[in-house]
Amino acid sequence: MKVICDGLALTEAINKVIKALPVKKNFNVLECIKLSAYDNQITLTCTDTELTIIKTISADVRIEGDILIPGKFFSDFTRKLDNESISLESINENKKLIIKYGENEGYINCLDVTEYPKIATSIDGDSLVLTKKDFKEAVDRTIFSASTEESRQILKGCLFEVTDTGVNVVALDGYRMAVCTKPYVSATATGKRFVAPTRSLNEIVKLIALDDETMTVKFTADKLFVEIDSTIIISRLISGEFVKYRNIIPSDYTTIVTLDRKVFLGSIDRATVISKQSRNNMVKMDIKADVITIDSNSEQGNMREQFSAKAEGKENIICFNGKYLMDFLTVIDDDFIQMIIKASNSPCVFKQVDKDESLFLVLPMRITT
């Protein structure tokens, strides 16, 4: 194999695909980048068998072929190069890669490319077409609520539920839940659902610009496939039965509070500066007819703020983990939101006033005196 390519394009491609290298040491071939040079293109592939990322860039291919390069070492080395043009040439039956940059050169020992797992670059399955903006917003508004506990694998992803009118994206961890509903352009999968790992979704949304161009999400019973701007992401889906999330949402309430989101966000943001110094990160809300009082205390200090809000129903005192509120308030852009309370010890719902896209449910903390 012998190719000449743009150094910046190569470095950017390597930085994308190495996100699929194993998090833990596995075995040698999976810690490598497969480099394939054909038809004046270089295709870089990384996989840990759960997540696969494939990136293609243009190149001047003098001799076609495939090689297998230690991923982290190749990434670290090329990141130090600032030359516009880089030459890559394999020698000794693809056991060594010569890297030429300017008047200089280096080499990297390679592994046997035939030992690398075979990876299909397309799948036949159901498809969901929606705008990039809607996909990114749906993931951004839910993924923070997914679990990080290894013992709860099904909750370490986001549920995608395709209905007749849109796609519901849901994430929960036992303390909070986020739901976002977005329209789609077309779908062959009405009535179907799948759970995509948060790690894979994070890599997909990094590729997406907030625009109205469409993207296609393909999925089978166990795989998810997305291709965006010459980058392919293939992810294994999480198997199992997702929580019946609709049963968690309260059907009645005693108090509805309409809040200016920016005012509320600012107050909670300041309160969490104090509360995160404590063990429980607790923020207390005292809700009266036209005023909300926010209290936050720790050994380092305390804070008490008041602001106007429209409250209907019973007066209430309720406590939350401040971080949970911040996670939700920073990913929506509405001017006003509603807080719907059943009781100080029951799940509380936050939702949009003018739209019916995003819903956030959070369990209150036990009130201490």
Side-chain angles (χ1 to χ4, degrees):
M1 186 201 78
K2 183 176 181 179
V3 300
I4 298 172
C5 63
D6 179 81
L8 180 59
L10 178 65
T11 300
E12 290 178 346
I14 293 170
N15 289 339
K16 278 189 172 69
V17 299
I18 61 171
K19 301 298 178 58
L21 290 176
V23 176
K24 298 179 180 179
K25 292 288 184 181
N26 203 311
F27 54 92
N28 286 342
V29 295
L30 291 186
E31 294 170 14
C32 293
I33 298 173
K34 181 182 178 183
L35 204 66
S36 303
Y38 296 94
D39 301 324
N40 285 325
Q41 291 183 327
I42 299 175
T43 300
L44 299 89
T45 303
C46 276
T47 186
D48 64 358
T49 71
E50 298 288 330
L51 173 65
T52 300
I53 303 179
I54 304 168
K55 175 66 177 177
T56 300
I57 62 172
S58 299
D60 179 6
V61 178
R62 305 290 176 85
I63 301 174
E64 296 183 338
D66 305 278
I67 57 171
L68 197 60
I69 316 164
K72 188 173 187 310
F73 186 75
F74 190 40
S75 172
D76 290 344
F77 187 83
T78 55
R79 193 180 294 124
K80 305 296 182 181
L81 305 180
D82 54 7
N83 293 72
E84 294 182 0
S85 182
I86 293 177
S87 171
L88 306 174
E89 182 178 3
S90 62
I91 60 173
N92 297 346
E93 297 180 341
N94 292 334
K95 294 180 180 177
K96 183 179 290 187
L97 178 69
I98 304 296
I99 305 175
K100 294 183 179 180
Y101 46 101
E103 301 298 321
N104 307 301
E105 67 177 51
Y107 77 89
I108 299 177
N109 290 324
C110 300
L111 282 76
D112 185 357
V113 72
T114 62
E115 295 184 4
Y116 202 71
K118 295 184 184 296
I119 297 170
T121 56
S122 64
I123 65 171
D124 293 323
D126 288 300
S127 64
L128 175 65
V129 180
L130 66 171
T131 67
K132 293 178 180 179
K133 179 180 179 181
D134 283 343
F135 183 92
K136 181 174 174 62
E137 284 188 352
V139 172
D140 286 344
R141 292 181 181 185
T142 53
I143 197 169
F144 58 85
S145 287
S147 177
T148 58
E149 297 179 13
E150 293 296 329
S151 60
R152 313 183 76 181
Q153 284 296 315
I154 192 66
L155 299 185
K156 291 187 70 178
C158 291
L159 170 71
F160 284 72
E161 182 180 57
V162 186
T163 71
D164 291 335
T165 56
V167 57
N168 302 323
V169 182
V170 186
L172 60 92
D173 64 3
Y175 301 98
R176 54 184 171 166
M177 178 175 75
V179 182
C180 186
T181 301
K182 289 291 186 179
Y184 53 72
V185 177
S186 64
T188 64
T190 301
K192 294 189 176 181
R193 46 172 33 199
F194 61 86
V195 181
T198 56
R199 180 186 173 206
S200 304
L201 293 173
N202 274 322
E203 296 309 319
I204 293 171
V205 296
K206 288 176 185 176
L207 302 175
I208 298 175
L210 281 172
D211 57 40
D212 291 326
E213 289 185 7
T214 60
M215 59 180 285
T216 301
V217 178
K218 294 183 179 179
F219 62 95
T220 63
D222 62 350
K223 284 188 175 62
L224 177 73
F225 179 97
V226 174
E227 182 174 5
I228 301 170
D229 299 333
S230 302
T231 302
I232 294 172
I233 293 182
I234 305 169
S235 171
R236 183 173 294 179
L237 297 175
I238 302 175
S239 61
E241 188 68 26
F242 200 80
V243 175
K244 295 180 179 179
Y245 69 92
R246 289 182 177 85
N247 295 343
I248 302 172
I249 303 172
S251 57
D252 57 349
Y253 58 87
T254 59
T255 310
I256 296 182
V257 186
T258 302
L259 299 157
D260 183 306
R261 185 189 64 86
K262 289 184 179 179
V263 173
F264 186 41
L265 171 61
S267 186
I268 296 297
D269 195 9
R270 289 183 289 273
T272 54
V273 173
I274 303 293
S275 66
K276 69 183 179 182
Q277 304 299 324
S278 64
R279 290 183 180 180
N280 55 21
N281 203 14
M282 181 185 287
V283 173
K284 182 178 178 182
M285 295 182 63
D286 188 349
I287 300 164
K288 291 188 166 51
D290 22 4
V291 65
I292 307 295
T293 303
I294 305 289
D295 276 298
S296 180
N297 297 280
S298 72
E299 292 182 359
Q300 279 69 36
N302 61 72
M303 186 211 80
R304 185 182 183 110
E305 288 189 9
Q306 290 186 332
F307 58 87
S308 298
K310 180 183 177 183
E312 302 173 66
K314 288 179 59 178
E315 295 182 351
N316 255 297
I317 296 176
I318 191 165
C319 296
F320 298 106
N321 182 316
K323 180 184 180 303
Y324 292 170
L325 296 184
M326 287 296 299
D327 286 343
F328 170 69
L329 292 170
T330 53
V331 295
I332 59 171
D333 54 8
D334 298 70
D335 291 332
F336 294 93
I337 58 171
Q338 283 187 335
M339 178 169 60
I340 301 172
I341 305 168
K342 181 177 181 179
S344 60
N345 59 353
S346 298
C348 179
V349 172
F350 291 86
K351 59 186 295 187
Q352 298 164 292
V353 174
D354 299 322
K355 302 177 188 175
D356 196 20
E357 287 185 348
S358 294
L359 176 147
F360 179 62
L361 178 146
V362 60
L363 294 180
M365 301 178 72
R366 181 176 297 175
I367 297 176
T368 57
T369 57

